[in-house]
Amino acid sequence: MKTQHYIPIAKPLITENEKRRVMDVLDSGQLVAGAKVEEFEQAFAGYIGAKAAVATSSGTTALQVALEALGIGRGDVVVTTPFTFVATSNAILHAGARPVFVDVDPRTYNLDAQAVEDAVKRERARAILCVHLYGLPADLEQLAEVARKFHVLLIEDCAQAHGAQYDGRKVGTFGDAAIFSFYPSKNITTGEGGMIVASDEAVERRARLLVNVGQNGTGDYVYEVIGYNYRMTDLAAALGLGQLERLDEYNAQRRVHAARLTLGLGRLPWLMTPVEPPRCLHVYNQYTVRVPEHRDRFVRHLNSNGVGSRVYYPHLVPHSPAYRQLGFGGTYPIAETLAKEVVSLPVHPALHEDDLTRITDTVVQFLRDRG
Ligand SMILES: Cc1ncc(COP(=O)(O)O)c(C=O)c1O
């Protein structure tokens, strides 16, 4: 019998050209803080339609710096989602501020704008930190309206949403600041890496100082703020430049794969496929389905048939031990249901037609065997 290869949940695609670009940096001897980082920042800003961008060592450090550069700190409340990667709200705590978690929308899994508005009013919040989960834009019109009405900042966590659009405009350009991650599971990668985009030049300048130990670009040991070393390397930036050129193509492939999966799975009675609301362009960092029961068995079935899957995320952030110790908790009925039911299936651009067939066949087979 022919053995079938394992289909991974994520697989970064690195071209020969990208390898050569990284080798060129190695050969140049200028491994950090050289021209490549600046070039990548400019190219990335140009891609999303922002004036400028600041490269960082990760999405996590980008978030921390973005909040600090916006002046968010002790005594401030930031309203955010409990259904995300922990870095989102960790950054709020690292800034000395307090996250207030509110429930999500049952169709999009992103922040419920009405719940955000209620929390902003009740808690006299300073900012909203939204996440475009799995590559689907949050309800940016409503969130921007709440931010405007109550004079609070809007920050976008676009770690999973490079190139996603709302009303034809790229995410990352709606908020006072936005961040991206280039971790290998993201739509483009630099290994580790991140990017900050800010609409205000003063915020961008402060972010640039914070990332580079508080000194401006001249490296003359004059420190304007108490900063960090959160810089991106030129090696990472060289890879990022190559990846960025392919981002639209990769996103288009993700969308084709998602459509193919939905064609095979969309009409199954037992499973819910992802939605793409009318004004949104989803870039499917993850293709996440909901299974109302037997999730563990479903995941085991996928795995034993060579189909990788992952649960993003099995627990809500405020319910994790680290947050419980700080007194967080609360109930979020929709997010809690999602945490019990979601499973992400492979959708990345490295998949082939027969992989997609195998993924849908394996899911359908589970349904057939279930009864
Ligand atoms: C929503 C979200 N925010 C922030 C991050 C942090 O990015 P990084 O892993 O690059 O630090 C991630 C990445 O996993 C993420 O998915």
Side-chain angles (χ1 to χ4, degrees), residues 124-165:
R124 297 176 182 278
R126 176 89 200 286
I128 301 162
L129 173 48
C130 70
V131 178
H132 307 306
L133 195 71
Y134 307 142
L136 176 67
D139 186 353
L140 282 164
E141 187 188 24
Q142 293 301 322
L143 294 176
E145 176 59 20
V146 174
R148 197 193 53 75
K149 203 159 108 191
F150 295 95
H151 306 287
V152 300
L153 298 164
L154 176 63
I155 304 141
E156 296 174 74
D157 180 340
C158 314
Q160 305 181 3
H162 320 61
Q165 293 177 25

mmCIF file of all heavy atoms in Angstrom, residues 124-165:
data_model
loop_
_atom_site.group_PDB
_atom_site.id
_atom_site.type_symbol
_atom_site.label_atom_id
_atom_site.label_comp_id
_atom_site.label_asym_id
_atom_site.label_seq_id
_atom_site.Cartn_x
_atom_site.Cartn_y
_atom_site.Cartn_z
ATOM 1 N N ARG A 124 -14.153 53.455 31.122
ATOM 2 C CA ARG A 124 -13.438 54.671 30.699
ATOM 3 C C ARG A 124 -12.092 54.287 30.078
ATOM 4 O O ARG A 124 -11.018 54.707 30.509
ATOM 5 C CB ARG A 124 -13.182 55.610 31.879
ATOM 6 C CG ARG A 124 -14.456 56.115 32.478
ATOM 7 C CD ARG A 124 -14.171 56.950 33.695
ATOM 8 N NE ARG A 124 -15.397 57.413 34.311
ATOM 9 C CZ ARG A 124 -16.086 58.477 33.907
ATOM 10 N NH1 ARG A 124 -15.655 59.200 32.891
ATOM 11 N NH2 ARG A 124 -17.195 58.827 34.526
ATOM 12 N N ALA A 125 -12.169 53.467 29.054
ATOM 13 C CA ALA A 125 -10.960 52.892 28.446
ATOM 14 C C ALA A 125 -10.155 53.957 27.707
ATOM 15 O O ALA A 125 -10.672 54.996 27.302
ATOM 16 C CB ALA A 125 -11.357 51.783 27.493
ATOM 17 N N ARG A 126 -8.889 53.661 27.544
ATOM 18 C CA ARG A 126 -7.988 54.545 26.795
ATOM 19 C C ARG A 126 -7.821 54.052 25.358
ATOM 20 O O ARG A 126 -7.555 54.825 24.461
ATOM 21 C CB ARG A 126 -6.628 54.502 27.527
ATOM 22 C CG ARG A 126 -5.501 55.249 26.917
ATOM 23 C CD ARG A 126 -5.453 56.696 27.406
ATOM 24 N NE ARG A 126 -4.685 57.504 26.472
ATOM 25 C CZ ARG A 126 -3.366 57.465 26.372
ATOM 26 N NH1 ARG A 126 -2.655 56.702 27.159
ATOM 27 N NH2 ARG A 126 -2.746 58.228 25.492
ATOM 28 N N ALA A 127 -7.984 52.726 25.178
ATOM 29 C CA ALA A 127 -7.720 52.177 23.838
ATOM 30 C C ALA A 127 -8.496 50.890 23.607
ATOM 31 O O ALA A 127 -8.933 50.229 24.552
ATOM 32 C CB ALA A 127 -6.226 51.905 23.676
ATOM 33 N N ILE A 128 -8.641 50.563 22.314
ATOM 34 C CA ILE A 128 -9.189 49.275 21.877
ATOM 35 C C ILE A 128 -8.065 48.567 21.127
ATOM 36 O O ILE A 128 -7.437 49.173 20.248
ATOM 37 C CB ILE A 128 -10.378 49.478 20.905
ATOM 38 C CG1 ILE A 128 -11.499 50.291 21.563
ATOM 39 C CG2 ILE A 128 -10.892 48.145 20.383
ATOM 40 C CD1 ILE A 128 -12.486 50.888 20.545
ATOM 41 N N LEU A 129 -7.809 47.318 21.479
ATOM 42 C CA LEU A 129 -6.805 46.533 20.748
ATOM 43 C C LEU A 129 -7.547 45.375 20.086
ATOM 44 O O LEU A 129 -7.951 44.416 20.758
ATOM 45 C CB LEU A 129 -5.712 46.030 21.705
ATOM 46 C CG LEU A 129 -4.655 45.068 21.178
ATOM 47 C CD1 LEU A 129 -4.052 45.531 19.853
ATOM 48 C CD2 LEU A 129 -3.545 44.872 22.201
ATOM 49 N N CYS A 130 -7.770 45.491 18.774
ATOM 50 C CA CYS A 130 -8.506 44.434 18.077
ATOM 51 C C CYS A 130 -7.535 43.501 17.364
ATOM 52 O O CYS A 130 -6.400 43.875 17.063
ATOM 53 C CB CYS A 130 -9.512 45.032 17.087
ATOM 54 S SG CYS A 130 -8.774 45.821 15.643
ATOM 55 N N VAL A 131 -7.997 42.287 17.119
ATOM 56 C CA VAL A 131 -7.198 41.275 16.418
ATOM 57 C C VAL A 131 -7.973 40.860 15.169
ATOM 58 O O VAL A 131 -9.188 40.658 15.247
ATOM 59 C CB VAL A 131 -6.971 40.040 17.323
ATOM 60 C CG1 VAL A 131 -6.196 38.959 16.586
ATOM 61 C CG2 VAL A 131 -6.245 40.436 18.606
ATOM 62 N N HIS A 132 -7.302 40.747 14.048
ATOM 63 C CA HIS A 132 -7.941 40.243 12.833
ATOM 64 C C HIS A 132 -7.654 38.740 12.795
ATOM 65 O O HIS A 132 -6.702 38.279 12.145
ATOM 66 C CB HIS A 132 -7.392 40.960 11.598
ATOM 67 C CG HIS A 132 -7.468 42.455 11.703
ATOM 68 N ND1 HIS A 132 -8.641 43.115 11.986
ATOM 69 C CD2 HIS A 132 -6.520 43.422 11.574
ATOM 70 C CE1 HIS A 132 -8.414 44.424 12.009
ATOM 71 N NE2 HIS A 132 -7.143 44.633 11.778
ATOM 72 N N LEU A 133 -8.478 38.008 13.531
ATOM 73 C CA LEU A 133 -8.160 36.607 13.816
ATOM 74 C C LEU A 133 -8.246 35.720 12.580
ATOM 75 O O LEU A 133 -9.212 35.808 11.816
ATOM 76 C CB LEU A 133 -9.116 36.075 14.897
ATOM 77 C CG LEU A 133 -8.689 34.765 15.540
ATOM 78 C CD1 LEU A 133 -7.487 34.954 16.442
ATOM 79 C CD2 LEU A 133 -9.845 34.169 16.338
ATOM 80 N N TYR A 134 -7.258 34.878 12.422
ATOM 81 C CA TYR A 134 -7.148 33.900 11.318
ATOM 82 C C TYR A 134 -7.004 34.563 9.944
ATOM 83 O O TYR A 134 -7.051 33.878 8.926
ATOM 84 C CB TYR A 134 -8.370 32.967 11.252
ATOM 85 C CG TYR A 134 -8.745 32.244 12.521
ATOM 86 C CD1 TYR A 134 -10.089 32.055 12.865
ATOM 87 C CD2 TYR A 134 -7.773 31.697 13.366
ATOM 88 C CE1 TYR A 134 -10.449 31.370 14.014
ATOM 89 C CE2 TYR A 134 -8.131 31.014 14.524
ATOM 90 C CZ TYR A 134 -9.470 30.854 14.841
ATOM 91 O OH TYR A 134 -9.828 30.167 15.969
ATOM 92 N N GLY A 135 -6.883 35.912 9.911
ATOM 93 C CA GLY A 135 -6.763 36.595 8.617
ATOM 94 C C GLY A 135 -8.029 37.314 8.183
ATOM 95 O O GLY A 135 -8.067 37.881 7.085
ATOM 96 N N LEU A 136 -9.070 37.307 9.043
ATOM 97 C CA LEU A 136 -10.329 38.000 8.719
ATOM 98 C C LEU A 136 -10.378 39.349 9.445
ATOM 99 O O LEU A 136 -10.266 39.382 10.673
ATOM 100 C CB LEU A 136 -11.522 37.144 9.148
ATOM 101 C CG LEU A 136 -12.890 37.804 8.947
ATOM 102 C CD1 LEU A 136 -13.200 37.996 7.458
ATOM 103 C CD2 LEU A 136 -13.992 36.985 9.610
ATOM 104 N N PRO A 137 -10.557 40.454 8.706
ATOM 105 C CA PRO A 137 -10.618 41.757 9.371
ATOM 106 C C PRO A 137 -11.719 41.812 10.430
ATOM 107 O O PRO A 137 -12.819 41.285 10.227
ATOM 108 C CB PRO A 137 -10.934 42.731 8.229
ATOM 109 C CG PRO A 137 -10.455 42.044 6.997
ATOM 110 C CD PRO A 137 -10.649 40.577 7.246
ATOM 111 N N ALA A 138 -11.412 42.452 11.541
ATOM 112 C CA ALA A 138 -12.428 42.734 12.558
ATOM 113 C C ALA A 138 -13.413 43.755 11.981
ATOM 114 O O ALA A 138 -13.197 44.284 10.882
ATOM 115 C CB ALA A 138 -11.752 43.276 13.816
ATOM 116 N N ASP A 139 -14.447 44.059 12.745
ATOM 117 C CA ASP A 139 -15.489 44.989 12.284
ATOM 118 C C ASP A 139 -14.927 46.417 12.388
ATOM 119 O O ASP A 139 -15.271 47.181 13.297
ATOM 120 C CB ASP A 139 -16.727 44.806 13.177
ATOM 121 C CG ASP A 139 -17.907 45.606 12.689
ATOM 122 O OD1 ASP A 139 -17.733 46.409 11.741
ATOM 123 O OD2 ASP A 139 -18.990 45.440 13.267
ATOM 124 N N LEU A 140 -14.088 46.777 11.422
ATOM 125 C CA LEU A 140 -13.310 48.011 11.551
ATOM 126 C C LEU A 140 -14.174 49.267 11.497
ATOM 127 O O LEU A 140 -13.852 50.262 12.154
ATOM 128 C CB LEU A 140 -12.203 48.047 10.492
ATOM 129 C CG LEU A 140 -11.010 47.167 10.871
ATOM 130 C CD1 LEU A 140 -10.112 46.900 9.669
ATOM 131 C CD2 LEU A 140 -10.191 47.785 12.002
ATOM 132 N N GLU A 141 -15.257 49.219 10.740
ATOM 133 C CA GLU A 141 -16.090 50.430 10.685
ATOM 134 C C GLU A 141 -16.667 50.747 12.064
ATOM 135 O O GLU A 141 -16.570 51.881 12.550
ATOM 136 C CB GLU A 141 -17.224 50.267 9.664
ATOM 137 C CG GLU A 141 -17.975 51.573 9.499
ATOM 138 C CD GLU A 141 -19.228 51.452 8.655
ATOM 139 O OE1 GLU A 141 -19.779 50.345 8.556
ATOM 140 O OE2 GLU A 141 -19.642 52.473 8.105
ATOM 141 N N GLN A 142 -17.242 49.725 12.684
ATOM 142 C CA GLN A 142 -17.853 49.941 14.005
ATOM 143 C C GLN A 142 -16.806 50.268 15.062
ATOM 144 O O GLN A 142 -17.002 51.143 15.895
ATOM 145 C CB GLN A 142 -18.633 48.685 14.438
ATOM 146 C CG GLN A 142 -19.844 48.383 13.600
ATOM 147 C CD GLN A 142 -20.851 49.530 13.605
ATOM 148 O OE1 GLN A 142 -21.064 50.171 14.628
ATOM 149 N NE2 GLN A 142 -21.428 49.824 12.459
ATOM 150 N N LEU A 143 -15.681 49.574 15.024
ATOM 151 C CA LEU A 143 -14.646 49.813 16.042
ATOM 152 C C LEU A 143 -14.064 51.220 15.891
ATOM 153 O O LEU A 143 -13.840 51.920 16.880
ATOM 154 C CB LEU A 143 -13.537 48.754 15.948
ATOM 155 C CG LEU A 143 -13.963 47.321 16.305
ATOM 156 C CD1 LEU A 143 -12.807 46.337 16.090
ATOM 157 C CD2 LEU A 143 -14.459 47.234 17.753
ATOM 158 N N ALA A 144 -13.847 51.641 14.646
ATOM 159 C CA ALA A 144 -13.320 52.992 14.417
ATOM 160 C C ALA A 144 -14.331 54.040 14.873
ATOM 161 O O ALA A 144 -13.962 55.090 15.413
ATOM 162 C CB ALA A 144 -12.976 53.182 12.937
ATOM 163 N N GLU A 145 -15.616 53.713 14.695
ATOM 164 C CA GLU A 145 -16.676 54.635 15.116
ATOM 165 C C GLU A 145 -16.704 54.757 16.654
ATOM 166 O O GLU A 145 -16.824 55.860 17.199
ATOM 167 C CB GLU A 145 -18.018 54.118 14.562
ATOM 168 C CG GLU A 145 -19.249 54.871 14.972
ATOM 169 C CD GLU A 145 -19.224 56.353 14.564
ATOM 170 O OE1 GLU A 145 -18.447 56.701 13.661
ATOM 171 O OE2 GLU A 145 -19.959 57.155 15.186
ATOM 172 N N VAL A 146 -16.565 53.627 17.342
ATOM 173 C CA VAL A 146 -16.518 53.659 18.814
ATOM 174 C C VAL A 146 -15.300 54.475 19.260
ATOM 175 O O VAL A 146 -15.386 55.325 20.162
ATOM 176 C CB VAL A 146 -16.446 52.227 19.401
ATOM 177 C CG1 VAL A 146 -16.255 52.264 20.918
ATOM 178 C CG2 VAL A 146 -17.683 51.419 19.037
ATOM 179 N N ALA A 147 -14.159 54.229 18.607
ATOM 180 C CA ALA A 147 -12.927 54.945 18.974
ATOM 181 C C ALA A 147 -13.110 56.454 18.793
ATOM 182 O O ALA A 147 -12.706 57.249 19.652
ATOM 183 C CB ALA A 147 -11.764 54.435 18.125
ATOM 184 N N ARG A 148 -13.762 56.824 17.688
ATOM 185 C CA ARG A 148 -13.960 58.254 17.393
ATOM 186 C C ARG A 148 -14.919 58.879 18.418
ATOM 187 O O ARG A 148 -14.655 59.924 18.985
ATOM 188 C CB ARG A 148 -14.515 58.382 15.969
ATOM 189 C CG ARG A 148 -14.413 59.754 15.336
ATOM 190 C CD ARG A 148 -15.268 59.854 14.078
ATOM 191 N NE ARG A 148 -16.651 59.457 14.297
ATOM 192 C CZ ARG A 148 -17.573 60.181 14.930
ATOM 193 N NH1 ARG A 148 -17.268 61.361 15.406
ATOM 194 N NH2 ARG A 148 -18.810 59.719 15.091
ATOM 195 N N LYS A 149 -16.022 58.146 18.646
ATOM 196 C CA LYS A 149 -17.078 58.683 19.518
ATOM 197 C C LYS A 149 -16.591 58.896 20.956
ATOM 198 O O LYS A 149 -16.952 59.860 21.606
ATOM 199 C CB LYS A 149 -18.251 57.682 19.500
ATOM 200 C CG LYS A 149 -19.584 58.252 19.868
ATOM 201 C CD LYS A 149 -20.716 57.365 19.330
ATOM 202 C CE LYS A 149 -21.389 56.613 20.443
ATOM 203 N NZ LYS A 149 -22.295 55.563 19.972
ATOM 204 N N PHE A 150 -15.750 57.971 21.430
ATOM 205 C CA PHE A 150 -15.339 58.048 22.841
ATOM 206 C C PHE A 150 -13.894 58.527 23.006
ATOM 207 O O PHE A 150 -13.322 58.416 24.075
ATOM 208 C CB PHE A 150 -15.554 56.685 23.517
ATOM 209 C CG PHE A 150 -16.995 56.297 23.579
ATOM 210 C CD1 PHE A 150 -17.558 55.483 22.601
ATOM 211 C CD2 PHE A 150 -17.813 56.794 24.588
ATOM 212 C CE1 PHE A 150 -18.905 55.150 22.643
ATOM 213 C CE2 PHE A 150 -19.159 56.468 24.630
ATOM 214 C CZ PHE A 150 -19.708 55.649 23.659
ATOM 215 N N HIS A 151 -13.306 59.009 21.917
ATOM 216 C CA HIS A 151 -11.933 59.546 21.945
ATOM 217 C C HIS A 151 -10.951 58.537 22.532
ATOM 218 O O HIS A 151 -10.192 58.857 23.447
ATOM 219 C CB HIS A 151 -11.880 60.865 22.737
ATOM 220 C CG HIS A 151 -12.857 61.863 22.231
ATOM 221 N ND1 HIS A 151 -12.664 62.529 21.036
ATOM 222 C CD2 HIS A 151 -14.046 62.278 22.721
ATOM 223 C CE1 HIS A 151 -13.705 63.315 20.828
ATOM 224 N NE2 HIS A 151 -14.557 63.180 21.822
ATOM 225 N N VAL A 152 -11.026 57.310 22.059
ATOM 226 C CA VAL A 152 -10.051 56.307 22.498
ATOM 227 C C VAL A 152 -9.208 55.880 21.295
ATOM 228 O O VAL A 152 -9.611 56.051 20.139
ATOM 229 C CB VAL A 152 -10.724 55.061 23.146
ATOM 230 C CG1 VAL A 152 -11.539 55.454 24.363
ATOM 231 C CG2 VAL A 152 -11.570 54.295 22.157
ATOM 232 N N LEU A 153 -8.039 55.342 21.596
ATOM 233 C CA LEU A 153 -7.136 54.900 20.533
ATOM 234 C C LEU A 153 -7.597 53.546 19.987
ATOM 235 O O LEU A 153 -8.167 52.739 20.727
ATOM 236 C CB LEU A 153 -5.717 54.753 21.086
ATOM 237 C CG LEU A 153 -5.079 56.039 21.625
ATOM 238 C CD1 LEU A 153 -3.854 55.712 22.482
ATOM 239 C CD2 LEU A 153 -4.686 56.943 20.453
ATOM 240 N N LEU A 154 -7.328 53.328 18.715
ATOM 241 C CA LEU A 154 -7.598 52.013 18.111
ATOM 242 C C LEU A 154 -6.265 51.429 17.636
ATOM 243 O O LEU A 154 -5.520 52.080 16.896
ATOM 244 C CB LEU A 154 -8.564 52.151 16.929
ATOM 245 C CG LEU A 154 -8.860 50.858 16.156
ATOM 246 C CD1 LEU A 154 -9.560 49.817 17.046
ATOM 247 C CD2 LEU A 154 -9.734 51.138 14.926
ATOM 248 N N ILE A 155 -5.977 50.223 18.103
ATOM 249 C CA ILE A 155 -4.747 49.539 17.703
ATOM 250 C C ILE A 155 -5.150 48.220 17.051
ATOM 251 O O ILE A 155 -6.017 47.510 17.559
ATOM 252 C CB ILE A 155 -3.849 49.260 18.933
ATOM 253 C CG1 ILE A 155 -3.561 50.588 19.658
ATOM 254 C CG2 ILE A 155 -2.544 48.581 18.529
ATOM 255 C CD1 ILE A 155 -3.561 50.453 21.138
ATOM 256 N N GLU A 156 -4.515 47.918 15.933
ATOM 257 C CA GLU A 156 -4.843 46.684 15.205
ATOM 258 C C GLU A 156 -3.708 45.667 15.368
ATOM 259 O O GLU A 156 -2.560 45.970 15.041
ATOM 260 C CB GLU A 156 -4.992 46.975 13.713
ATOM 261 C CG GLU A 156 -6.119 47.879 13.331
ATOM 262 C CD GLU A 156 -6.041 48.186 11.835
ATOM 263 O OE1 GLU A 156 -6.357 47.307 11.024
ATOM 264 O OE2 GLU A 156 -5.622 49.302 11.477
ATOM 265 N N ASP A 157 -4.052 44.479 15.835
ATOM 266 C CA ASP A 157 -3.103 43.366 15.847
ATOM 267 C C ASP A 157 -3.339 42.586 14.547
ATOM 268 O O ASP A 157 -4.284 41.809 14.433
ATOM 269 C CB ASP A 157 -3.345 42.488 17.078
ATOM 270 C CG ASP A 157 -2.384 41.307 17.162
ATOM 271 O OD1 ASP A 157 -1.800 40.947 16.129
ATOM 272 O OD2 ASP A 157 -2.238 40.744 18.262
ATOM 273 N N CYS A 158 -2.450 42.860 13.578
ATOM 274 C CA CYS A 158 -2.575 42.250 12.244
ATOM 275 C C CYS A 158 -1.591 41.095 12.086
ATOM 276 O O CYS A 158 -1.184 40.771 10.960
ATOM 277 C CB CYS A 158 -2.296 43.271 11.146
ATOM 278 S SG CYS A 158 -3.091 44.862 11.322
ATOM 279 N N ALA A 159 -1.203 40.470 13.215
ATOM 280 C CA ALA A 159 -0.193 39.403 13.162
ATOM 281 C C ALA A 159 -0.591 38.290 12.197
ATOM 282 O O ALA A 159 0.272 37.636 11.608
ATOM 283 C CB ALA A 159 0.017 38.830 14.561
ATOM 284 N N GLN A 160 -1.908 38.092 12.035
ATOM 285 C CA GLN A 160 -2.381 36.982 11.184
ATOM 286 C C GLN A 160 -3.030 37.487 9.901
ATOM 287 O O GLN A 160 -3.729 36.720 9.241
ATOM 288 C CB GLN A 160 -3.404 36.142 11.977
ATOM 289 C CG GLN A 160 -2.876 35.638 13.316
ATOM 290 C CD GLN A 160 -3.878 34.799 14.091
ATOM 291 O OE1 GLN A 160 -4.974 34.532 13.634
ATOM 292 N NE2 GLN A 160 -3.488 34.371 15.284
ATOM 293 N N ALA A 161 -2.815 38.755 9.546
ATOM 294 C CA ALA A 161 -3.677 39.317 8.493
ATOM 295 C C ALA A 161 -2.950 40.213 7.483
ATOM 296 O O ALA A 161 -3.513 41.202 7.026
ATOM 297 C CB ALA A 161 -4.821 40.074 9.150
ATOM 298 N N HIS A 162 -1.736 39.863 7.100
ATOM 299 C CA HIS A 162 -1.005 40.671 6.115
ATOM 300 C C HIS A 162 -1.752 40.683 4.783
ATOM 301 O O HIS A 162 -1.929 39.633 4.169
ATOM 302 C CB HIS A 162 0.388 40.094 5.827
ATOM 303 C CG HIS A 162 1.103 39.570 7.033
ATOM 304 N ND1 HIS A 162 0.619 38.553 7.796
ATOM 305 C CD2 HIS A 162 2.286 39.925 7.571
ATOM 306 C CE1 HIS A 162 1.459 38.311 8.773
ATOM 307 N NE2 HIS A 162 2.479 39.122 8.671
ATOM 308 N N GLY A 163 -2.174 41.855 4.363
ATOM 309 C CA GLY A 163 -2.838 41.962 3.058
ATOM 310 C C GLY A 163 -4.351 41.828 3.122
ATOM 311 O O GLY A 163 -5.026 42.019 2.110
ATOM 312 N N ALA A 164 -4.900 41.503 4.303
ATOM 313 C CA ALA A 164 -6.361 41.438 4.422
ATOM 314 C C ALA A 164 -6.934 42.837 4.215
ATOM 315 O O ALA A 164 -6.252 43.838 4.476
ATOM 316 C CB ALA A 164 -6.754 40.920 5.813
ATOM 317 N N GLN A 165 -8.179 42.889 3.702
ATOM 318 C CA GLN A 165 -8.758 44.198 3.384
ATOM 319 C C GLN A 165 -10.151 44.350 3.980
ATOM 320 O O GLN A 165 -10.888 43.372 4.113
ATOM 321 C CB GLN A 165 -8.869 44.367 1.866
ATOM 322 C CG GLN A 165 -7.526 44.442 1.172
ATOM 323 C CD GLN A 165 -7.666 44.531 -0.337
ATOM 324 O OE1 GLN A 165 -8.679 44.987 -0.840
ATOM 325 N NE2 GLN A 165 -6.640 44.088 -1.043
#
